[in-house]
Amino acid sequence: MPKSIQTCAIFLSSLLYIICSSFQVFSQESIDISYIRGSVLVHAKKIEPISDPPVDGLSISYTFNNKAGEHWRKFYNYPNYGINYTLKSFNNPDVVGNSHALTTFLQISFLRRHNVFDIGFKGAAGLAYLTETYDEILNPDNQAISTHFNIAGELEFYTRLTFHPVYIGYSYGLNHFSNGLVKSPNLGLNTLNNHITLGWEFEKRAEKVKPGEEEQSQLIKNEFWAYASTGLNSVKDYDKRFVFFAASLNYSKQINPINKIGIGIDFIKDEALNQYAINNYKYTGESDLSFRFGPNVQGEFMFGNLSLLGAYGFFFGDTTNYISRAYYKVGGKYYAKNIIGIAMIRAVPLFKAQVVEFGLGYRFPRVKN
């Protein structure tokens, strides 16, 4: 199977499972170590010069204990979650070098009962440091990474055999590094990885407790919220950094204790779009292209005061000089009562990042069932 098809299958299967799964899992404190063997995924022609050597790595994971997050885990049937450190060598020391990543992860089983054998999904996100970056003169072959610090993300499918307190496992997945176009070039670095894992459980599985009727009924019927955000953007072959501004008005409805759906409209001011049009579409400055606005649909997964947000939308108006009319955004929200902190990546189809956003928002008085 071609690697591009494997990549699409991993992303689509993971998304389908998150939407449809009943989250039948348990959690227990554990620690494990994994050996990693993989390869660089060639998602663009300019990645080919750094794709030949295999990728080797080592990771250490710690899973939090049964009591961590017990106020929200019961709604997901007690998934595992924790922290992970990963070291990778791309066996190309002068061009790509090594990566160091610190991430948080969520591990979800496909099986209702898994005392010995288990299969499931694991997703991770965090920050990575890469030792080598693009330089026009000294390192022109590295078109993937142009900053040392990058966003790290990984999706895996895993299998596990447990003989408590010892377990062994194998997983296969996709790892991604990108700076969100804070600096270009930023094609991103993707690797397909095989993990061989040996672990130790410090406790047995948590006793499953179903949420009570009172907890199930406390849904937010109508939620109006707004936020403003900013970030840095860049255009390839142009040294200036551009400041990105956005404002968003949204409506959400809670459909169950762990999910919200909603709609919104985004207003964006991005001076980088003028320079992008000059570089790519022979644009001569006859009108200002920096302002865009358009609607989106969105979904949210809640984990106590934290949540994962995903949205897909499109921009109105003439897009002759734009990279794309369609866009999506993926990120996290933190609730401090009615104040909302937001961090997300805005991108266009085929996973081309446009900007990393950081912002603050407010949710207006809510109506409960």
Side-chain angles (χ1 to χ4, degrees):
M1 181 183 292
K3 290 183 178 180
S4 59
I5 297 177
Q6 292 178 354
T7 306
C8 291
I10 290 171
F11 273 101
L12 293 176
S13 300
S14 302
L15 179 61
L16 180 64
Y17 177 72
I18 291 174
I19 295 172
C20 301
S21 173
S22 60
F23 299 100
Q24 298 288 348
V25 296
F26 297 87
S27 176
Q28 71 264 45
E29 184 179 19
S30 64
I31 189 169
D32 63 50
I33 186 169
S34 299
Y35 169 70
I36 302 168
R37 183 75 169 181
S39 60
V40 173
L41 176 65
V42 181
H43 63 284
K45 189 172 182 179
K46 291 182 179 179
I47 298 295
E48 290 181 356
I50 62 174
S51 65
D52 287 338
V55 178
D56 293 299
L58 189 70
S59 72
I60 300 174
S61 297
Y62 170 73
T63 301
F64 297 127
N65 60 33
N66 290 333
K67 294 183 179 180
E70 58 186 350
H71 61 290
W72 58 263
R73 284 217 324 255
K74 63 183 72 174
F75 293 105
Y76 292 91
N77 234 347
Y78 299 92
N80 288 339
Y81 74 107
I83 57 175
N84 173 269
Y85 165 74
T86 300
L87 166 65
K88 284 185 178 177
S89 170
F90 293 88
N91 293 309
N92 195 343
D94 296 328
V95 179
V96 187
N98 301 326
S99 66
H100 303 266
L102 185 64
T103 60
T104 61
F105 67 84
L106 181 70
Q107 177 185 317
I108 301 168
S109 173
F110 292 170
L111 305 180
R112 181 182 297 270
R113 298 178 181 276
H114 49 273
N115 293 331
V116 177
F117 176 71
D118 186 25
I119 58 174
F121 161 82
K122 185 176 180 181
L127 188 66
Y129 179 87
L130 280 86
T131 57
E132 300 297 328
T133 63
Y134 169 83
D135 184 273
E136 184 178 2
I137 298 174
L138 300 178
N139 194 6
D141 287 337
N142 187 351
Q143 296 279 323
I145 299 295
S146 59
T147 57
H148 288 293
F149 285 100
N150 290 264
I151 296 167
E154 186 154 10
L155 299 174
E156 301 175 20
F157 289 109
Y158 73 87
T159 61
R160 177 183 290 186
L161 285 173
T162 301
F163 306 96
H164 183 76
V166 177
Y167 61 88
I168 56 175
Y170 166 78
S171 64
Y172 178 79
L174 173 70
N175 172 224
H176 176 70
F177 297 133
S178 170
N179 68 25
L181 207 60
V182 171
K183 185 178 180 181
S184 63
N186 180 55
L187 293 176
L189 186 59
N190 300 315
T191 59
L192 292 169
N193 305 304
N194 299 275
H195 297 245
I196 304 296
T197 302
L198 176 65
W200 182 277
E201 298 174 343
F202 296 106
E203 59 184 351
K204 294 184 178 180
R205 297 187 180 99
E207 182 180 352
K208 180 180 175 182
V209 178
K210 292 183 178 180
E213 292 184 5
E214 182 178 349
E215 293 174 292
Q216 293 278 7
S217 63
Q218 292 179 352
L219 304 183
I220 300 172
K221 185 177 181 180
N222 298 300
E223 183 176 36
F224 297 93
W225 56 286
Y227 71 87
S229 62
T230 188
L232 291 176
N233 203 348
S234 67
V235 178
K236 187 180 177 182
D237 300 324
Y238 191 75
D239 292 335
K240 180 181 176 180
R241 301 281 183 93
F242 297 92
V243 180
F244 172 101
F245 297 100
S248 184
L249 304 175
N250 304 274
Y251 165 78
S252 297
K253 179 181 178 66
Q254 191 171 357
I255 57 175
N256 59 47
I258 57 176
N259 296 116
K260 296 177 185 177
I261 58 173
I263 56 175
I265 184 166
D266 292 328
F267 302 89
I268 298 170
K269 180 71 171 178
D270 185 1
E271 295 290 345
L273 293 174
N274 288 318
Q275 187 62 45
Y276 182 87
I278 292 172
N279 289 6
N280 294 276
Y281 296 108
K282 298 181 180 180
Y283 169 73
T284 58
E286 57 270 17
S287 61
D288 185 11
L289 305 177
S290 63
F291 178 73
R292 295 181 292 174
F293 72 99
N296 66 73
V297 295
Q298 56 194 241
E300 192 170 340
F301 294 87
M302 295 174 288
F303 305 88
N305 291 333
L306 292 171
S307 72
L308 299 178
L309 174 71
Y312 190 88
F314 68 94
F315 297 116
F316 292 119
D318 182 12
T319 58
T320 302
N321 296 312
Y322 294 165
I323 185 173
S324 173
R325 175 178 291 184
Y327 71 96
Y328 65 91
K329 50 187 180 181
V330 180
K333 296 169 66 179
Y334 177 79
Y335 292 92
K337 294 185 178 180
N338 287 328
I339 303 298
I340 305 171
I342 292 175
M344 64 178 62
I345 296 177
R346 187 181 298 270
V348 298
L350 301 179
F351 309 105
K352 183 175 178 61
Q354 288 185 307
V355 72
V356 179
E357 297 182 47
F358 298 93
L360 285 174
Y362 182 78
R363 57 178 176 180
F364 299 92
R366 301 162 293 160
V367 180
K368 294 186 178 180
N369 286 338

